[in-house]
Amino acid sequence: MSGSRTQHVAAILQSWIGPALLVVIILFGGSSRPDQTSHLVLQALSALVLLFYLLPLSRLDWTQHRLTILGLISIGILWLFLQTLHLPAYIWSLLPKRDLIIEGWSLLSIEAGWGQPISIDAERTRTATLGILPILAVFIAIYLGTAKYTARSLL
């Protein structure tokens, strides 16, 4: 009986980690923060939450949830790829606020040329992509936590 109760309590705890992380993100995250310390702490906490949920997955759990988990991770990778994708000059110049950059280049006698990424600063884009980590952790924590709680409560 006590083992069943412990599993039930663990399942309830796992189902609340995602919403709790979401509250922490709302309170301490956001792009309006003047310093990056809170972002680094949230990213580290999110990585720990992801490890907490993904490492103990059994082969059966992984088989059942792999498409959702891999889909969510793929969205983050795809976003980074799209932001650093190099576009032809004509298409790049049609993007918002690129006219100021082109005007600045013309003043400096720099030709726009081919191969400009969507993102103006690729390093900041990679850093910003890490900002997807907290929300990815929330999605996976809520998805897996809810699935485990639902499965255990039905038993």
Side-chain angles (χ1 to χ4, degrees):
M1 279 281 182
S2 67
S4 173
R5 182 169 169 79
T6 304
Q7 287 179 343
H8 184 69
V9 170
I12 291 172
L13 178 65
Q14 285 181 337
S15 69
W16 281 99
I17 289 176
L21 180 61
L22 181 60
V23 169
V24 170
I25 290 170
I26 290 169
L27 292 175
F28 299 107
S31 59
S32 62
R33 295 281 181 189
D35 65 339
Q36 293 297 315
T37 307
S38 63
H39 294 277
L40 293 173
V41 170
L42 286 175
Q43 290 166 2
L45 181 63
S46 300
L48 290 174
V49 168
L50 284 172
L51 289 174
F52 176 77
Y53 279 97
L54 296 179
L55 285 181
L57 284 179
S58 68
R59 185 174 217 157
L60 178 63
D61 287 338
W62 182 251
T63 303
Q64 289 174 343
H65 305 294
R66 75 173 177 264
L67 289 177
T68 303
I69 293 169
L70 291 176
L72 289 171
I73 293 170
S74 298
I75 288 171
I77 294 169
L78 180 65
W79 183 252
L80 174 62
F81 173 75
L82 288 175
Q83 291 295 312
T84 56
L85 182 68
H86 292 269
L87 298 173
Y90 174 73
I91 295 173
W92 186 83
S93 65
L94 295 176
L95 294 172
K97 299 187 180 181
R98 297 305 197 255
D99 52 343
L100 293 173
I101 296 169
I102 293 171
E103 184 180 326
W105 285 346
S106 66
L107 291 173
L108 296 171
S109 301
I110 299 173
E111 191 169 328
W114 204 93
Q116 298 301 320
I118 294 173
S119 173
I120 296 171
D121 187 349
E123 183 60 36
R124 291 182 94 187
T125 300
R126 284 188 281 279
T127 303
T129 303
L130 287 175
I132 294 173
L133 193 61
I135 200 65
L136 178 66
V138 167
F139 282 136
I140 289 177
I142 290 174
Y143 175 75
L144 290 177
T146 304
K148 287 180 181 182
Y149 177 70
T150 305
R152 287 200 174 95
S153 65
L154 293 174
L155 296 177

